[in-house]
Each structure stands twice: as C-alpha cells, then as structure tokens.
C-alpha cells in the first residue's frame, strides 16, 4: 500500500537520472511538490495530466505542511521531490518530524546525488587506492552554521566535496590551505552537473578563486578537492585497485602472479 507521502530524489538534473521507482511514483502522484531551484522541470513530464504541481521555493515549511495535511486528508497521493538524493542537504528532517507528528506515513526513495553526477562528469573515481579512501562531504558555514571546523577536516587531505559553498570559495580555499592541503592541490568546480549547460572549471587551490570568478559561477556548483582529480596517466603514480590486481586474492578470485618484490 502507498504511504501518504513519498519523499523522492529527483537526481542531479538530467531527467534520465531519476530512479525507475521514483518515476513510477511520479506517474501516479496526485500532488507533486518540487524544489524548483534545482529539480529539472522536465521531470514533471512524468506526472499524469491531472496532477497538481506546486513549487516549494515560494512556500514556507508550515505552508508545505498545511498543503500536505490537506491533501492527505483528501486521500491524495503526494510526491515531494528533492534534488539529487534527499539525504544530503535536503532539509527533510524537519519535514519528517512534521509527518511523524501528524501521523502521516511516508517513504523515502533515494536519488543520484550531484556528487556522483559531478564525479562522472569529471570521469574520476573519488576513492583512489593509495591517494585517499575517504570522501569528506561538507560545506562552508553560511546562514546555516556548520558544527565541524573546515580546517580540521582539511588536515586529513582526503577527497573533499563541498556543497552550497561556491559563492564563498575564497573562504573555503583559505580554510583548506590553513588546514593542511598544499596550494597545488587540484580543485574542480562543477556547475550544474548533468544539465545541458554543465560547466567544469579546473585549477588548484592557488588559482581556483580567480578562475571561478572569471567563469561567473555563483551557485549550483560543487567544489571538489584532492589529488584524486589528477588522472594516473598524468601523475604516473601506481594507484591500482587491489580488487583487479592479479597478485591479489579475494573471495572470487585467486592470485595469478606473485607480487612485485
Ligand atoms: N540533495 C542534493 C543537494 C541539495 S543542496 C544532492 O544530493 O545533490 C544544493 C546544492 O547541491 C547546490 O548548492 C550545489 O552545491 C549542489 N548541487 C545540486 N545539484 C547540482 C548539480 N547538478 N551540479 C552541481 N552541484 C549541484
């Protein structure tokens, strides 16, 4: 049986990067409330003709709650569409608590986060053996406070991806360098990953502020930091995964060769 509300990940922008499950829900929904700033309106073509569509950017949380309560009482199936995956900077926690307080059942369907669309656009793996096996997903403090200290996070020199921070890229770079990344650490800024107007700006911590300023990118972008951005072919390092290494045995395969001395 359907819950009262589906919270759906719409994916990063390309209307084909939505899950089959979310698409099926959209086709049946009576009401869709969508985050219009980052959800591609083309996705709404999956909705049925009679579906009522609301943009969430012009509504307060209370207004969204009122709308949902009203529609649930009318027996309508509601889909709340979030950009990327709802669990990353989706502000769903407060919605969830309102639904739970109201005794409204809900289900969350995950989506492809922009972090993965950006990695795909860059044609890179975020977790490169011997470079970094850790991805730090964070943001700079804006109106929303950030409990963790960015400079302390930088001290790991892991792969780092910053959401909601491109308008403050100068502050980001300052913190990252003071925290421990070298000035020549590669950085890529990916604007509207998977959209038709996607843009990539590549540089290092020493010049990315200027490059981003020149590009005019002020929002809807991810800042991606770390040596994982450099391809093997360029830096010549041996960073092969053990999984496909012929000297490495695992559950599905025995080693064929002796490891190099
Ligand atoms: N839940 C979303 C993130 C929402 S917060 C996700 O999983 O992707 C909004 C921020 O996400 C933006 O400010 C930007 O930093 C990032 N973002 C969302 N979609 C993007 C895209 N297609 N390309 C680059 N960054 C994107």
């Amino acid at each position: 049986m359907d819950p009262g509300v589906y919270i759906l990940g719409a994916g990063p922008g390309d209307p084909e990067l939505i899950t089959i499950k979310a698409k099926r829900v959209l086709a049946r929904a009576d009401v869709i409330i969508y985050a219009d700033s980052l959800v591609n309106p083309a996705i709404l073509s999956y909705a049925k003709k009679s579906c009522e569509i609301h943009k969430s950017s012009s509504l307060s949380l209370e207004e969204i709650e009122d709308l949902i309560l009203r529609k649930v009482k009318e027996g309508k199936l509601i889909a709340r569409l979030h950009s990327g995956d709802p669990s990353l900077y989706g502000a769903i926690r407060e919605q969830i608590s309102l639904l739970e307080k109201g005794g409204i059942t809900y289900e969350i369907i995950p989506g492809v986060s922009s972090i993965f669309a950006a990695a795909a656009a860059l044609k890179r793996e975020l977790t490169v053996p011997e470079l970094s096996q850790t991805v730090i997903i964070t943001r700079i403090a804006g109106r929303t406070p950030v409990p963790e200290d960015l400079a302390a996070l930088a001290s790991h020199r892991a792969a780092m991806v910053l959401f909601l921070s491109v308008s403050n890229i100068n502050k980001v770079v300052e913190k990252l360098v003071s925290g421990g990344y070298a000035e020549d650490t590669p950085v890529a800024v990916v604007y509207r990953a998977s959209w038709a107007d996607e843009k990539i700006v590549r540089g290092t911590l020493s010049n990315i502020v200027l490059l981003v300023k020149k590009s005019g990118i002020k929002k809807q972008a991810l800042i991606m930091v770390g040596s994982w951005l450099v391809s093997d072919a360029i830096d010549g390092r041996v960073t092969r995964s053990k999984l496909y290494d012929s000297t490495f045995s695992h559950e599905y395969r025995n080693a064929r060769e002796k490891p190099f001395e």
Side-chain angles (χ1 to χ4, degrees), residues 11-254:
D14 179 342
E16 295 202 322
L17 289 176
I18 190 167
T19 63
I20 293 168
K21 199 161 186 164
K23 189 179 171 203
R24 284 205 179 122
V25 169
L26 287 180
R28 292 189 299 115
D30 302 307
V31 179
I32 294 177
I33 306 168
Y34 79 108
D36 44 312
S37 54
L38 276 165
V39 171
N40 192 336
I43 282 171
L44 302 172
S45 68
Y46 303 142
K48 59 184 181 190
K49 275 224 171 70
S50 59
C51 180
E52 219 180 90
I53 292 172
H54 298 266
K55 297 179 178 180
S56 62
S57 66
S58 48
L59 301 172
S60 68
L61 184 63
E62 287 70 28
E63 286 169 332
I64 293 175
E65 181 195 15
D66 274 358
L67 180 63
I68 291 177
L69 286 175
R70 232 176 335 113
K71 296 297 169 183
V72 167
K73 273 197 197 127
E74 290 172 20
K76 301 273 165 67
L77 180 64
I78 297 162
R80 175 76 175 95
L81 254 183
H82 288 266
S83 71
D85 182 84
S87 71
L88 285 176
Y89 308 104
I92 58 170
R93 194 169 189 260
E94 56 253 46
Q95 289 183 50
I96 287 170
S97 79
L98 289 172
L99 293 174
E100 288 183 353
K101 268 190 218 142
I104 298 169
T105 55
Y106 63 93
E107 190 180 320
I108 301 178
I109 298 177
V112 176
S113 172
S114 59
I115 183 177
F116 304 121
L122 292 164
K123 301 192 168 78
R124 288 290 178 271
E125 175 177 353
L126 281 153
T127 52
V128 182
E130 290 168 50
L131 287 184
S132 168
Q133 290 288 287
T134 304
V135 183
I136 296 176
I137 295 173
T138 187
R139 61 168 296 176
I140 191 100
R143 278 175 298 175
T144 308
V146 174
E148 302 82 12
D149 173 28
L150 189 52
L153 295 176
S155 70
H156 298 285
R157 293 187 293 274
M160 187 183 277
V161 180
L162 295 111
F163 284 70
L164 298 155
S165 302
V166 76
S167 63
N168 275 321
I169 192 162
N170 49 342
K171 226 161 97 191
V172 170
V173 167
E174 209 177 282
K175 291 264 185 197
L176 296 189
V177 172
S178 75
Y181 283 104
E183 297 242 357
D184 63 355
T185 304
V187 183
V189 169
V190 183
Y191 169 77
R192 286 165 67 87
S194 88
W195 290 71
D197 56 354
E198 171 188 290
K199 231 189 277 177
I200 298 176
V201 177
R202 294 170 207 267
T204 63
L205 282 174
S206 61
N207 64 7
I208 196 72
V209 172
L210 202 67
L211 294 172
V212 166
K213 202 169 172 192
K214 269 194 202 152
S215 74
I217 297 172
K218 293 196 175 81
K219 54 179 187 173
Q220 300 186 0
L222 293 172
I223 306 173
M224 311 189 84
V225 185
S227 31
W228 60 280
L229 286 161
V230 178
S231 80
D232 235 11
I234 295 169
D235 82 352
R237 276 198 243 185
V238 182
T239 51
R240 293 187 29 196
S241 158
K242 290 261 185 278
L243 189 59
Y244 299 107
D245 184 338
S246 57
T247 64
F248 186 72
S249 302
H250 58 70
E251 197 181 345
Y252 300 105
R253 196 191 62 218
N254 290 321

